[in-house]
Amino acid sequence: MWQAEGMTEAVLLVGGQGTRLRPLTINTPKPMLPVAGVPFTVHQITRARDAGVTRIILATSYRADVFREFIDDADLGIEIVIATEDEPLGTGGAIRHALPHLTSGPDDPVLIFNGDVLTGVDIAGLVRHHEATNSDVTLYLTPVEDPRAYGLVPLDESGRVIAFLEKPTTLEEIVTDLINAGCYVFRKSVIDSIPSGRPVSVERETFPGLLAGDSLVTGVVDRGYWLDLGTPLAFVQGSRDLVLGAAPSPAVPNPGPSLVLGGSQIAPDATVTGGSSVGRNVEVRAGAYVDGSVIFDSAVIGSGSRIYNSIVGAGAVIGSNCCIEGAVIGDGAMIGDGNELLTGVRVWPDTNLAALTVRFSSDRT
Ligand code: GTP
């Protein structure tokens, strides 16, 4: 892989509460949830490492202890420094808070990325573009089919960002399909200009402020793989794509139909398929069928149960002959035999659902 010459440092924003992924994020911050066998953060750190980053600042806030515990034991071939905000400072505030930990010179590029974005973007190419255009900030932009749910980032013909627009509400307001993909290169001195000690949104305050002040903000459009893992459905899709090899990660050296970690027992007539990821010490009992799902450590899938596109939390126990589809089962929950939980259902940690209490009607035959 081509490595960026000037770039050695990065800031990874991992301090958010991950509210859209509750209840999974009650015990574990989103970037530390296991995806294709390792915490999601590991996929991002190893991609940055392979692009030439040698030092990374983890900007933490919510459940910082979980990161610290993991990083103490991890050897990912890169220096990792943890910067923890006492109070969440937002995306821009977190970048500014990481500044004392950066050793780069004022004009050096610093890579910044959100902790929930899965992408195949050419990181080194992004930095090359940043340096060739002498930009103050370079944003990675991705086109989306339906831009209504996102803030839009239109470019002029030279690739210069001309506005940061709020979510469009009318057709006329959809002036581009390009959105901020959550990965940037900052000239280090631009980070100095972010106000310190108070919450700042990089999207709502820093970027519009740079445009108003005549800074050069450019965009690089990459049409490759991009996914924001913020919702349960996106989370299972991202994990599935990593396991199957549709999304690239150095932390998944051997993509295949499924990934089963050590200590797990899959009954001979059970099936684990469709890019499913099964953690450690999981039991998948006779005749069970697990498709496109993520099963965390020490969970049990009862005999004859079918699990589709779902997340089953650590230590959760699914009884026999259940059907779980597009659902999130919190850590330690007990789902009694024969329950049917369909799309959108979220079961809170340690909930105990008796046998056959929930059955939704479905068109599925
Ligand atoms: P939701 O609550 O589900 O929207 O998820 P989130 O908490 O991750 O928020 P969002 O997706 O808007 O955040 C984008 C990125 O910035 C994520 O990687 C967050 O971890 C990170 N982030 C958001 N707010 C803060 C903050 O106050 N401090 C730090 N260090 N990181 C933050």
Side-chain angles (χ1 to χ4, degrees):
M1 186 186 287
W2 195 94
Q3 296 199 335
E5 266 171 33
M7 181 188 60
T8 56
E9 290 190 299
V11 178
L12 179 54
L13 300 172
V14 291
Q17 299 213 359
T19 47
R20 289 167 296 161
L21 267 181
R22 279 190 190 150
L24 298 172
T25 46
I26 291 176
N27 296 326
T28 310
K30 178 167 56 175
M32 285 301 294
L33 289 171
V35 179
V38 292
F40 182 62
T41 292
V42 172
H43 297 287
Q44 294 187 305
I45 293 175
T46 52
R47 282 207 80 238
R49 178 200 65 200
D50 287 2
V53 173
T54 55
R55 190 155 184 281
I56 198 155
I57 319 300
L58 284 190
T60 62
S61 172
Y62 176 68
R63 298 301 312 259
D65 52 311
V66 181
F67 292 94
R68 215 165 286 126
E69 211 171 283
F70 174 74
I71 294 305
D72 280 350
D73 295 337
D75 180 9
L76 299 174
I78 181 170
E79 187 187 350
I80 302 174
V81 177
I82 296 187
T84 303
E85 299 136 47
D86 293 334
E87 296 294 328
L89 292 172
T91 44
I95 298 169
R96 178 64 182 78
H97 183 260
L99 180 68
H101 300 280
L102 293 169
T103 59
S104 309
D107 280 329
D108 287 344
V110 177
L111 177 71
I112 315 272
F113 48 115
N114 285 359
D116 51 4
V117 166
L118 178 58
T119 165
V121 70
D122 173 9
I123 294 173
L126 193 65
V127 178
R128 268 202 309 273
H129 179 276
H130 177 81
E131 296 196 307
T133 52
N134 200 21
S135 296
D136 293 302
V137 171
T138 303
L139 282 89
Y140 156 35
L141 305 177
T142 188
V144 289
E145 250 172 52
D146 182 0
R148 282 174 303 178
Y150 303 92
L152 305 181
V153 187
L155 300 178
D156 72 8
E157 277 144 27
S158 72
R160 188 173 182 147
V161 173
I162 50 176
F164 288 91
L165 304 172
E166 295 289 334
K167 287 177 191 170
T169 51
T170 63
L171 273 181
E172 291 72 44
E173 284 173 4
I174 304 180
V175 294
T176 177
D177 63 353
L178 296 177
I179 64 157
N180 170 2
C183 176
Y184 330 104
V185 184
F186 272 61
R187 184 196 299 280
K188 193 196 160 208
S189 57
V190 172
I191 300 177
D192 293 74
S193 69
I194 300 174
S196 67
R198 69 163 173 88
V200 178
S201 159
V202 80
E203 300 86 357
R204 283 191 291 276
E205 184 175 339
T206 309
F207 292 152
L210 287 170
L211 285 195
D214 242 5
S215 296
L216 179 58
V217 182
T218 58
V220 170
V221 181
D222 186 295
R223 296 178 186 278
Y225 189 96
W226 177 83
L227 188 67
D228 169 353
L229 266 70
T231 64
L233 280 180
F235 184 85
V236 285
Q237 189 189 331
S239 181
R240 195 165 57 219
D241 288 346
L242 281 162
V243 170
L244 294 170
S249 168
V252 187
N254 302 305
S258 63
L259 179 74
V260 178
L261 298 188
S264 288
Q265 291 173 21
I266 314 291
D269 63 346
T271 306
V272 177
T273 188
S276 292
S277 173
V278 173
R280 291 179 203 287
N281 305 319
V282 169
E283 228 186 295
V284 181
R285 294 188 176 150
Y289 191 86
V290 178
D291 189 356
S293 295
V294 184
I295 315 296
F296 291 175
D297 291 354
S298 307
V300 175
I301 311 297
S303 54
S305 283
R306 291 159 293 145
I307 317 287
Y308 303 98
N309 300 328
S310 294
I311 308 166
V312 177
V317 177
I318 312 293
S320 308
N321 301 312
C322 291
C323 179
I324 314 280
E325 181 168 343
V328 179
I329 311 299
D331 297 342
M334 312 275 284
I335 309 297
D337 297 347
N339 281 302
E340 191 167 292
L341 302 174
L342 301 185
T343 304
V345 169
R346 298 182 190 210
V347 177
W348 242 240
D350 302 317
T351 300
N352 194 338
L353 212 59
L356 257 177
T357 41
V358 185
R359 171 155 285 168
F360 289 95
S361 63
S362 161
D363 292 330
R364 204 165 23 79
T365 50

